[in-house]
Amino acid sequence: MSRIDDSRDFIPVRIAVLTVSDTRQADDDRSGDTLVERLTAAGHVLAARDIVRDDRTAIAGRLRDWCADPEIDVVISTGGTGLTGRDVTVEAHRDVYEKEIDAFGIVFTHVSMAKIGTSAVQSRATGGVAQGTYLFALPGSPGACRDAWDEILSLQLDYRHRPCNFVEIFPRLDEHHRRK
């Protein structure tokens, strides 16, 4: 069973938050605010924050820029993971991924089922890795952001979490680029 190992020191992670929306502004970005509140309360660092429109090229560009930034370890986006024509965040993420974390979407669906029942099938939450940076795409509702953070990301982004966590393998995420 998973647990927090208090014999290990907490390691703050540098996290960027990206809101994908044609209608949100900084003053009404409730989902982005939810993520920022939770990650900073947990002791992590808000490394960057932005809002981009629902445009695949713009989203992928921002993700690539942040993956290239050595001051960002994780990017969490919110919005654009649904089924409508404007929902292209998942496609943009997959344009950037080197590896997809398939189980992230599965676990998110499991968590969502407990909260919203079969409506969980309408989300396409996803996770992956690119250039040694973790990327996660969450739905655009504050509730979904809370669920993803509280039930998955807060644990996997905590170095003390056992039996394993994302933080302890940071040094190995881009080892294939260092091989000769």
Side-chain angles (χ1 to χ4, degrees), residues 125-174:
T126 185
V129 177
Q131 298 181 51
T133 303
Y134 288 108
L135 301 154
F136 301 98
L138 308 179
S141 76
C145 290
R146 274 191 302 276
D147 293 344
W149 180 265
D150 295 351
E151 304 289 331
I152 306 168
L153 295 174
S154 68
L155 300 170
Q156 282 299 300
L157 295 176
D158 190 330
Y159 179 70
R160 303 168 301 166
H161 183 262
R162 294 309 217 172
C164 58
N165 60 76
F166 290 142
V167 179
E168 64 193 353
I169 60 173
F170 264 128
R172 298 184 55 211
L173 290 179
D174 62 354

Side-chain angles (χ1 to χ4, degrees), residues 73-146:
D73 302 312
V74 176
V75 177
I76 304 173
S77 70
T78 175
T81 64
L83 302 173
T84 72
R86 297 292 294 153
D87 291 325
V88 295
T89 301
V90 173
E91 289 75 18
H93 269 252
R94 289 183 175 146
D95 289 343
V96 176
Y97 291 165
E98 293 169 2
K99 293 184 179 183
E100 190 160 357
I101 305 170
D102 298 316
F104 179 79
I106 294 166
V107 173
F108 180 79
T109 300
H110 179 75
V111 168
S112 295
M113 283 286 296
K115 310 282 177 138
I116 62 172
T118 61
S119 295
V121 302
Q122 294 188 33
S123 172
R124 298 181 304 135
T126 185
V129 177
Q131 298 181 51
T133 303
Y134 288 108
L135 301 154
F136 301 98
L138 308 179
S141 76
C145 290
R146 274 191 302 276

